[in-house]
């Protein structure tokens, strides 16, 4: 299963292993968000190519789509925001 990408208003936990979700700051553009996603994946032990963010399965993650989608006004924010 691929990493999920979710833009969030306030990122307190960049990586949620329960949902395999990488949270990116909703204020970030695609470039900055990609750097953030790469940082999380590197920290998890998955080396990254010169460009883009590579999922552990070998597929590139669509960071631009997650940025476009924007934040979800649901559980994640409230769950980790308090
Ligand atoms: Zn994947």
């Amino acid at each position: 299963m691929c990493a999920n990408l979710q833009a969030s208003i306030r990122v307190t936990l960049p990586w949620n292993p329960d949902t395999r979700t990488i949270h990116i700051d909703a204020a970030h553009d695609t470039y900055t968000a990609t750097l953030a996603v790469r940082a999380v994946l590197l920290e998890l032990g998955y080396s990254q190519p010169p460009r883009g963010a590579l999922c552990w399965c070998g597929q590139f993650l669509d960071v631009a789509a997650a940025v476009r989608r924007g934040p979800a006004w649901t559980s994640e924010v409230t769950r980790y925001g308090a």
Side-chain angles (χ1 to χ4, degrees), residues 2-81:
C2 279
N4 298 305
L5 299 178
Q6 178 62 61
S8 300
I9 295 294
R10 228 175 77 194
V11 179
T12 51
L13 197 71
W15 168 243
N16 181 347
D18 295 338
T19 59
R20 295 173 166 227
T21 300
I22 297 171
H23 292 273
I24 51 183
D25 195 312
H28 285 167
D29 57 17
T30 301
Y31 178 76
T32 312
T34 301
L35 291 181
V37 171
R38 288 169 58 94
V40 171
L41 287 164
L42 278 170
E43 202 159 307
L44 292 172
Y46 302 102
S47 58
Q48 295 296 299
R51 289 198 186 102
L54 198 63
C55 182
W56 45 72
C57 71
Q59 286 196 344
F60 280 97
L61 295 166
D62 197 345
V63 179
V67 169
R68 271 199 310 274
R69 214 160 44 232
W73 303 95
T74 50
S75 56
E76 297 297 339
V77 172
T78 40
R79 195 169 149 200
Y80 296 105

